[in-house]
């Protein structure tokens, strides 16, 4: 955490590292653990899947997530609000806490979230005591409705999941940031630390990435870079940097020149 | 009796309960979720929860995801 900053507090939990990490796609669970530890990740996402009775996964992912890490279970695989609600309840039953990233996707080509179904799930799960984080297309009306329904934060996508295209939706995320008080966590499509930094400079409360880190040549290294970039972006935001202007503004005094004929350019 | 687990058929002897099913197939699994016919069965209820012919069982676990 940087000078002058406060931790992000969600459901009474203080979070200092505002870079959240997804746990999918890592080459090994050992690499995932090393990445979480190296970057001091505090919040990770996990998913729920059926077990294949004939070849059950021998390792339990929870054995590789350091104690004290906050688990946020996603509802990936849900195509409707009802399916997302069921997955959330299954997660809570499994002892994974009640932080849920609501993810309702009907489209297999672009993996875009279905905002209407996501809102319905947000309403039901928030009323049922879950701490909900709806993953959403950055639409102001839905963001407002999700916040009103009790979302702990909204999670607008920066660009398509796993695309590394960064903040393609920046202008719409800006509007949400300006118009709602609920924390905004930018999720999906964030491929580089500079993109995460920009989201934080814009005023995001946190950034979540998965694929970029998991597919990096050095996942722990990139996760550390993301953590530092997110902290730098946060500090920049808090420090109120000046706005761009059209003309130069000298940073050295314009008096007392050594050469009297000098014409300041 | 025949039950369906994650859409696969499995023959079981009569009077098998959830706990013995887990013990046989997934002895090392923790944070395992059991859902029978759409109802989540809490871990403390596994022992003595009878499986019945044509039960539809889902066994679910946590995996990596973003």
């Amino acid at each position: 955490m940087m000078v002058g900053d406060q931790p992000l507090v969600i459901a009474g939990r203080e979070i200092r590292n505002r870079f959240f990490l997804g746990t999918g796609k890592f080459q090994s669970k050992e690499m995932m653990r090393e990445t979480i530890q190296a970057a001091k990740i505090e919040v990770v996402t996990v998913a729920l899947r059926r077990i294949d009775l004939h070849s059950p996964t021998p390792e339990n992912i929870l054995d590789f997530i350091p104690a004290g890490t906050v688990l946020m279970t996603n509802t990936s695989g849900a195509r409707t609000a009802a399916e997302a609600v069921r997955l959330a309840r299954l997660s809570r039953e499994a002892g994974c806490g009640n932080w849920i990233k609501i993810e309702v996707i009907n489209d297999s080509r672009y993996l875009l979230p279905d905002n209407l179904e996501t809102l319905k799930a947000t309403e039901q799960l928030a009323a049922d005591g879950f701490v909900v984080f709806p993953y959403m297309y950055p639409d102001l009306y839905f963001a407002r409705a999700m916040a009103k329904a009790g979302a702990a934060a909204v999670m607008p996508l920066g660009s398509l999941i796993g695309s590394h295209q960064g903040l393609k939706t920046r202008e719409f995320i800006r509007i949400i940031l300006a118009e709602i008080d609920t924390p905004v966590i930018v999720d999906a499509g964030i491929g580089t630390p500079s993109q995460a930094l920009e989201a934080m400079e814009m005023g995001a409360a946190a950034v979540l990435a998965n694929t970029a880190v998991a597919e990096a040549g050095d996942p722990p290294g990139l996760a550390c870079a993301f953590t530092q970039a997110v902290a730098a972006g946060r500090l920049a935001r808090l420090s109120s940097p000046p706005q761009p202007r059209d003309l130069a503004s000298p940073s050295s005094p314009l008096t007392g020149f050594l050469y009297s004929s000098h014409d300041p350019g | 009796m025949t039950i369906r687990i994650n859409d696969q058929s499995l023959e079981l002897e009569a009077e098998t309960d959830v706990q013995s099913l887990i013990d046989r197939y997934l002895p090392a699994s923790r944070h395992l979720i059991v859902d029978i016919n759409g109802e989540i069965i809490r871990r403390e209820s596994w022992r003595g929860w009878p499986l019945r012919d044509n039960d539809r069982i889902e066994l679910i676990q946590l995996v990596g995801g973003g």
Side-chain angles (χ1 to χ4, degrees), chain A residues 55-135:
Chain A
S55 61
T57 307
E59 299 165 332
N60 185 328
I61 191 169
L62 292 180
D63 292 336
F64 295 83
I65 296 175
T69 310
V70 178
L71 291 179
M72 184 193 290
T73 305
N74 72 35
T75 64
S76 62
R79 292 156 298 178
T80 63
E83 290 177 1
V85 167
R86 177 167 178 265
L87 283 163
R89 291 183 175 147
L90 289 168
S91 174
R92 184 164 67 182
E93 189 58 35
C96 299
N98 61 352
W99 287 35
I100 299 293
K101 172 182 162 184
I102 302 175
E103 192 176 325
V104 183
I105 292 174
N106 284 298
D107 169 84
S108 60
R109 187 168 170 83
Y110 301 104
L111 299 177
L112 287 168
D114 181 329
N115 276 357
L116 182 56
E117 291 296 308
T118 302
L119 172 60
K120 291 179 193 167
T122 301
E123 291 168 341
Q124 289 182 51
L125 290 173
D128 196 13
F130 285 89
V131 181
V132 290
F133 302 82
Y135 169 63

Side-chain angles (χ1 to χ4, degrees), chain A residues 156-213:
Chain A
L157 61 91
S159 51
L160 301 182
I161 291 175
S163 70
H164 311 315
Q165 291 183 42
L167 294 171
K168 293 287 188 188
T169 59
R170 64 167 58 72
E171 300 311 325
F172 302 98
I173 291 177
R174 264 189 225 286
I175 292 170
I176 292 172
L177 285 164
E179 294 295 324
I180 71 170
D181 294 328
T182 301
V184 173
I185 301 172
V186 175
D187 182 11
I190 303 301
T192 64
S194 60
Q195 295 164 354
L197 193 153
E198 184 186 355
M200 296 303 291
E201 277 186 322
M202 285 163 49
V207 170
L208 192 154
N210 185 162
T211 306
V213 173

Side-chain angles (χ1 to χ4, degrees), chain B residues 20-47:
Chain B
S20 50
L21 175 76
I22 301 300
D23 290 345
R24 186 187 308 172
Y25 288 97
L26 300 160
S29 294
R30 290 177 293 115
H31 293 278
L32 178 67
I33 307 162
V34 178
D35 178 297
I36 302 180
N37 304 326
E39 181 184 0
I40 300 168
I41 310 300
R42 291 174 176 272
R43 184 173 289 262
E44 54 266 29
S45 302
W46 290 358
R47 192 167 302 285

